[in-house]
């Protein structure tokens, strides 16, 4: 996928830059920045969505023994998630 993205980006931006050079030389860079923002937004959405799924799943929790016996379910889940990362 990485190789395909490089080839498609080369085709698009090699044609876009000369066309926009007369009226706005930095337009292709703004397009690249916009695509990066879209990709970052998708990755953030996936991060928080999957984080919610993992923390909401009770099948991955384990018993954690600490200094006190007052450990909540969320603490168990966070401990389990951080050990799997």
């Amino acid at each position: 996928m990485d190789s395909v993205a490089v080839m498609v980006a080369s085709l698009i931006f090699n044609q876009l830059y000369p066309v926009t050079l007369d009226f706005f030389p930095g337009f292709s860079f703004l397009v690249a920045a916009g695509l990066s923002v879209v990709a970052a937004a998708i990755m953030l959405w996936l991060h928080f969505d999957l984080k919610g799924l993992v923390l909401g799943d009770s099948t991955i929790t384990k018993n954690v023994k600490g200094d006190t016996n007052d450990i909540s379910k969320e603490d168990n889940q966070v401990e389990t998630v951080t050990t799997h990362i």
Side-chain angles (χ1 to χ4, degrees), residues 30-48:
L30 288 177
V31 170
L35 291 173
S36 296
V37 168
V38 169
I42 291 171
M43 291 184 67
L44 280 172
W45 173 70
L46 283 173
H47 170 75
F48 288 114

Side-chain angles (χ1 to χ4, degrees), residues 47 50-58 60-62 64 73-85:
H47 170 75
L50 292 176
K51 183 178 178 182
L53 286 175
V54 168
L55 290 178
D57 188 6
S58 62
I60 63 167
T61 60
K62 66 178 182 178
V64 177
K73 181 180 177 183
E74 289 81 16
D75 291 336
N76 288 340
Q77 291 172 341
V78 170
E79 178 67 24
T80 303
V81 170
T82 55
T83 57
H84 291 298
I85 294 175

Side-chain angles (χ1 to χ4, degrees), residues 13 16-35:
F13 288 108
L16 181 67
Y17 183 73
V19 172
T20 60
L21 192 58
D22 292 333
F23 67 92
F24 190 29
F27 182 73
S28 60
F29 299 107
L30 288 177
V31 170
L35 291 173

Side-chain angles (χ1 to χ4, degrees), residues 1-10:
M1 200 62 188
D2 187 39
S3 298
V4 171
V6 169
M7 289 181 2
V8 170
S10 296

